Amino acid sequence: MTAPPAAAASSSPLVAGRDFYFERGRFVLTAEYLLRRGTCCGNGCRHCPYRKASKRLSKPPAPPVDVANTEPTSTSSTGRAGGF
């Protein structure tokens, strides 16, 4: 049986430039390392490959709009729709 990615990532030493780098004194993990780790830690990592996917899934898709059954927009005193 092989070890899961999280165990594999944590058991091997980190390699500078491949797994992390320093920016203004801060330790920054790379997307390559985060993918090998296997899950999102929830800390808002700069290169998190999981954060974008979770944002897409957090909002349900908007229902389709039936243009034929929509009410016309009221006009303002300028005569333009939408009150501009």
Side-chain angles (χ1 to χ4, degrees):
M1 180 175 193
T2 62
S10 64
S11 65
S12 63
L14 296 176
V15 177
R18 184 189 74 184
D19 299 324
F20 71 94
Y21 61 92
F22 288 98
E23 181 176 87
R24 290 184 250 169
R26 295 183 184 212
F27 183 79
V28 181
L29 294 170
T30 64
E32 180 181 340
Y33 172 78
L34 296 170
L35 278 171
R36 279 197 327 268
R37 188 172 63 190
T39 59
C40 178
C41 63
N43 289 327
C45 300
R46 173 183 292 187
H47 301 294
C48 180
Y50 308 103
R51 183 175 52 199
K52 292 176 184 161
S54 65
K55 279 187 180 179
R56 280 193 306 254
L57 298 175
S58 64
K59 284 184 172 180
V65 176
D66 184 7
V67 181
N69 293 328
T70 58
E71 295 290 321
T73 310
S74 63
T75 59
S76 67
S77 60
T78 61
R80 295 183 191 167
F84 296 114

